[in-house]
Amino acid sequence: MRLLVLGTGGMANNHADHFSKIEGVELVAAVDVDPVRAALYAEKYSIPNTFTSLDEALAWNEFDAVTNVTPDRAHYPTTMRLAEAGKHQFCEKPLAESYEKALEMTEAVEARGLINMVNLTYRNVAPLQRAREMVRSGEIGFVKHVEASYLQSWLISRSWGDWRTESQWLWRLSTAHGSNGVLGDIGIHILDFASYGAGLEIGHIFGRLKTFDKAEGGKIGEYTLDANDSFVMSVDYSNGALGVIHATRWAAGHYNDLRLRIYGDKGGIEVQHTLTGSSLRVCIGEGAESAAWEEVDAGTVPTNYERFAEAVKTGINGEPDFRHATNLQKALDLAFLTDRERREMSVTG
């Protein structure tokens, strides 16, 4: 696979680090509107070609696939151009800014039979994959209840930087600068974490969003701080199970923590993932009688990057694909709408 890297910002380093270690993958070009940044990135990863526009890269055309690490708003136009050119695509999340655009992107790549995947990074967490296997094999019985949380603390702690003075954080608090808040930023991750782990699709959703006062007048310089800081949503799943999903940037003591609890009529499973590692605990069999939890070794799993390379090699599409990310985007869009209208809405209708 001859791979082109589209966008050479911070996350693009992760992509290059991973793809460069996969046998059979060759990083052949990098594209960025900033030629200096593109040149430095290409030098760092020994990439032989750089371009300042997608048009230039398509005119060159010596590549098979693209890893799209552009800003969110650029995913739609670049994906549509690449689909027309017949290029396989690995795209950062979220796939698009709206369900309608995501659906159009999905239909474009599917119609051309192109390999398409979205980098929902927490699919790389082995305990999540093992939890899904256990649920689907019936080890906890019929799933009744799901709890999931994504907790960050960068509005409390300066460990990642000072959001009051640094643009890389301030833009995430301002809708005028392209942010949809915590729901738009990490909501897709925790929705996927919960639904994938539980092996269930969301049927109905009701979300509540909250933006707290963070500065006098609600502004810092050019940034109006109006994007949501916290969300809570209740869902029911395809099998009738109930779920509670929430996220916040105000969670002191939690740098970047995801937790999933799944309860069935025969036992329970808990997955926890933090910056320092991940774990899987189960309460099944006799343990369900005595409330005894046991640690389970989940082993290792292929990364999204490895799965994409394998999909291009075999011609068999991998997960998570554009269609799945589109369905998640529909749930996110509806969460905003349910907050405004204060009513539950169907995701499947």
Side-chain angles (χ1 to χ4, degrees):
M1 177 173 69
R2 299 172 300 171
L3 184 67
L4 179 141
V5 182
L6 184 60
T8 61
M11 190 61 186
N13 289 289
N14 288 8
H15 286 237
D17 283 337
H18 282 278
F19 278 121
S20 64
K21 296 172 183 174
I22 301 173
E23 184 178 354
V25 175
E26 182 183 4
L27 301 180
V28 296
V31 181
D32 200 293
V33 293
D34 184 337
V36 174
R37 184 166 61 189
L40 291 172
Y41 181 85
E43 181 181 4
K44 181 178 180 180
Y45 295 104
S46 301
I47 299 173
N49 301 284
T50 62
F51 304 97
T52 57
S53 72
L54 181 57
D55 286 340
E56 291 179 8
L58 287 171
W60 174 64
N61 204 35
E62 298 295 320
F63 61 100
D64 311 301
V66 173
T67 184
N68 193 336
V69 207
T70 58
D72 297 353
R73 288 179 175 176
H75 290 176
Y76 170 78
T78 54
T79 291
M80 298 304 288
R81 289 290 312 283
L82 290 164
E84 290 175 7
K87 305 300 183 183
H88 304 300
Q89 300 186 50
F90 184 76
C91 187
E92 263 303 320
K93 66 82 189 170
L95 182 59
E97 294 180 286
S98 69
Y99 167 71
E100 289 77 17
K101 287 183 177 180
L103 182 61
E104 191 175 346
M105 294 159 70
T106 297
E107 291 176 342
V109 294
E110 288 181 348
R112 293 166 175 82
L114 299 172
I115 299 300
N116 59 93
M117 287 180 59
V118 177
N119 192 27
L120 294 171
T121 54
Y122 298 109
R123 291 290 185 95
N124 302 331
V125 176
L128 179 68
Q129 298 282 352
R130 182 72 181 101
R132 176 180 171 87
E133 292 174 2
M134 295 180 71
V135 171
R136 291 171 70 89
S137 66
E139 292 188 52
I140 66 167
F142 188 90
V143 174
K144 304 278 191 178
H145 191 84
V146 178
E147 299 176 17
S149 63
Y150 194 150
L151 306 178
Q152 296 181 330
S153 59
W154 58 265
L155 286 175
I156 294 286
S157 168
R158 289 180 171 84
S159 294
W160 290 8
D162 188 352
W163 62 266
R164 298 164 185 82
T165 59
E166 299 178 19
S167 60
Q168 65 172 322
W169 303 112
L170 277 169
W171 82 265
R172 295 176 184 272
L173 306 175
S174 172
T175 59
H177 287 77
S179 176
N180 284 322
V182 70
L183 179 60
D185 187 18
I186 63 176
I188 191 169
H189 280 310
I190 195 60
L191 281 179
D192 183 62
F193 205 77
S195 298
Y196 183 76
L200 300 170
E201 296 295 330
I202 294 174
H204 293 81
I205 190 169
F206 181 32
R208 295 294 305 274
L209 311 177
K210 186 72 174 183
T211 304
F212 294 94
D213 292 335
K214 293 176 285 295
E216 185 175 351
K219 294 188 68 174
I220 295 179
E222 64 179 279
Y223 298 91
T224 299
L225 310 182
D226 58 348
N228 60 87
D229 308 320
S230 299
F231 76 78
V232 177
M233 62 176 67
S234 59
V235 304
D236 59 13
Y237 286 99
S238 49
N239 74 335
L242 291 179
V244 178
I245 303 171
H246 66 98
T248 185
R249 290 167 170 160
W250 294 101
H254 298 274
Y255 283 132
N256 195 71
D257 299 356
L258 292 85
R259 178 173 289 179
L260 171 63
R261 295 183 176 101
I262 311 164
Y263 302 108
D265 56 12
K266 294 182 181 178
I269 293 177
E270 180 180 280
V271 178
Q272 186 166 349
H273 179 73
T274 71
L275 293 178
T276 57
S278 55
S279 63
L280 173 64
R281 297 197 311 155
V282 301
C283 180
I284 56 177
E286 293 183 3
E289 294 287 346
S290 58
W293 289 83
E294 177 185 357
E295 292 275 350
V296 174
D297 182 0
T300 59
V301 295
T303 64
N304 288 339
Y305 308 98
E306 292 169 324
R307 285 196 290 270
F308 178 70
E310 182 67 14
V312 172
K313 180 180 178 180
T314 63
I316 302 172
N317 208 61
E319 293 184 351
D321 60 10
F322 277 24
R323 178 68 62 176
H324 176 73
T326 295
N327 293 336
L328 289 177
Q329 191 62 50
K330 184 177 183 180
L332 290 172
D333 288 1
L334 286 175
F336 283 104
L337 192 57
T338 62
D339 178 67
R340 288 196 296 270
E341 299 191 7
R342 292 293 194 267
R343 66 184 178 91
E344 178 185 278
M345 292 185 177
S346 172
V347 177
T348 56

